[in-house]
Amino acid sequence: FGQITMDNASNNDTFMLELEIELEMRGIPFDHTGNPPTHLSASTDLHVYADALSNESVGQCRSIVNACRHSGQCRRRRLKAIIKEGNNNGYWKGKLLDDKETLPVLRLLRNCSTRWSSTFKMIDCVLMLHPAIQSFLQEIQNADIAHLSMDLKDVDVLRNIHQIIEVPHAAQELLASERTPTLSMALPAYELLQTKWTELKGTIWELAYYIEIGLDKLANYICQGRKTRIYALAMIINPSLKLEWMKVHWDASDVRKAREWTLEAVCSIFA
C-alpha cells in the first residue's frame, strides 16, 4: 500500500492518467489525482475474487454437467430424485434466491459451440440447481467427483459471468423470436447491448477488463454496420424506428448519410 508522488511535469500527469485507465481496465481502483490506497478489506476481497476467477468457473460448471450426465441414466435419475425429495420435504427453503421454496425438475444442459446461447443456458441451469448439485456431489457414491463442488465465491463469480452474458443472450432471443425480418432491429439491439455492458462495467468492476474486450468488438461491429446501407434502409422502413430512432442514438453525420441513402434508393425506384 502507498501513494505515488512526482514533480509537476506535464508528462507525469499524462502518465498518471494512463495508469488510471489501465488499472481500471484490470478492475483495480485508482485515482490519478491522488491515487488513494485501497483499503485492506477491499484488497483482501479482490484477492479472494481473483483466486476464484482463476478457478475458471465456466470450466468448473462444464465439468459438473459432464460428471452429472455421465454413466448413462443412473446419475441423472439420482439428481432428479434429490430435487424432488427436497421439494417434497421443504429442504430447499432458505437456500434459494428470491425466497423460492422449490427447485424446477430439470436436466443439466451441456454447452455446444454451434448453438446460440448454449453456454449461458448451461450456466443458468447449474446456478438454478446449485443446492441440489451440491447435495448430489456430497453423496458417498459420488466421492470420485466430490472435488467438483463449487464454494460460495466460485458461485459468485459464475453469477457475475451469467449476468454479463445474459445481455447478449437477451439480444439474440429478441432477434430470433420474431416471425418477421429482424434486420432493422439488429443495430438497435447491439447498441442497447453496448449500453448495458457499459453499465455492468461499473457494477461488476472485477470483470470490467473482460467486458471492455467485448465492448471493443461490439463497437467495431456497430461502426461497420452504420456504414452499411442495408441496415439503415431496413430501419427507416420499420414504422417503429424510421429516422427518429437514429436522430436520438446516432451522430448527426450518420443520420444524414442514412437519409441520403434512402433518397437515393427511392429515386432509383421511381426514376
Side-chain angles (χ1 to χ4, degrees):
F1 303 106
Q3 296 194 21
I4 299 173
T5 58
M6 299 180 178
D7 60 34
N8 62 352
S10 60
N11 61 331
N12 285 335
D13 293 336
T14 303
F15 168 75
M16 294 299 287
L17 183 59
E18 291 296 322
L19 181 60
E20 177 184 296
I21 294 172
E22 180 65 26
L23 291 176
E24 283 185 351
M25 290 177 61
R26 297 172 181 270
I28 302 174
F30 187 82
D31 187 329
H32 72 280
T33 60
N35 54 88
T38 303
H39 294 297
L40 178 60
S41 58
S43 177
T44 302
D45 289 344
L46 184 60
H47 283 115
V48 172
Y49 191 96
D51 288 340
L53 188 61
S54 67
N55 291 335
E56 298 184 2
S57 297
V58 176
Q60 285 182 291
C61 183
R62 188 179 295 110
S63 297
I64 288 172
V65 172
N66 290 336
C68 291
R69 289 173 60 104
H70 189 61
S71 300
Q73 297 292 324
C74 181
R75 285 180 174 172
R76 297 183 198 176
R77 284 197 297 266
R78 181 55 193 151
L79 179 58
K80 184 180 294 186
I82 289 174
I83 295 172
K84 290 181 177 179
E85 291 169 6
N87 288 342
N88 293 334
N89 61 28
Y91 182 73
W92 309 127
K93 290 182 180 180
K95 296 181 173 65
L96 308 179
L97 297 177
D98 302 324
D99 296 323
K100 294 181 180 178
E101 298 183 354
T102 60
L103 287 173
V105 183
L106 300 175
R107 183 176 65 177
L108 293 177
L109 301 174
R110 286 195 176 106
N111 70 321
C112 176
S113 59
T114 58
R115 291 185 179 180
W116 285 104
S117 296
S118 64
T119 300
F120 168 79
K121 292 178 180 178
M122 175 188 71
I123 295 173
D124 188 60
C125 196
V126 167
L127 288 174
M128 194 182 307
L129 301 180
H130 180 252
I133 293 172
Q134 290 295 90
S135 296
F136 174 80
L137 293 175
Q138 291 168 7
E139 293 190 331
I140 296 177
Q141 65 269 29
N142 295 322
D144 59 319
I145 58 174
H147 64 281
L148 297 176
S149 179
M150 301 177 71
D151 61 27
L152 292 179
K153 185 52 69 174
D154 291 329
V155 174
D156 285 344
V157 171
L158 194 61
R159 289 193 191 282
N160 287 343
I161 294 173
H162 175 271
Q163 189 176 352
I164 292 169
I165 63 176
E166 185 178 16
V167 182
H169 165 72
Q172 188 275 326
E173 289 287 289
L174 171 66
L175 297 176
S177 62
E178 294 289 334
R179 296 187 179 183
T180 55
T182 57
L183 181 62
S184 63
M185 297 301 298
L187 283 184
Y190 292 138
E191 295 195 25
L192 179 59
L193 166 58
Q194 187 179 45
T195 300
K196 294 296 184 182
W197 266 356
T198 301
E199 293 173 357
L200 284 177
K201 279 180 61 180
T203 57
I204 311 178
W205 57 268
E206 299 93 337
L207 298 178
Y209 174 79
Y210 303 100
I211 297 175
E212 186 63 35
I213 294 174
L215 283 171
D216 287 343
K217 293 287 186 181
L218 193 58
N220 181 62
Y221 183 91
I222 292 172
C223 181
Q224 295 301 318
R226 289 186 183 182
K227 297 177 182 177
T228 307
R229 295 190 179 208
I230 190 61
Y231 283 106
L233 295 175
M235 292 168 67
I236 288 174
I237 64 174
N238 185 326
S240 65
L241 296 174
K242 299 184 179 180
L243 270 173
E244 298 307 312
W245 187 92
M246 296 181 187
K247 290 177 181 178
V248 174
H249 297 89
W250 287 13
D251 295 334
S253 59
D254 290 329
V255 176
R256 185 168 56 252
K257 192 180 300 181
R259 188 174 184 277
E260 292 172 357
W261 289 340
T262 305
L263 291 175
E264 288 177 11
V266 172
C267 290
S268 67
I269 295 174
F270 294 100

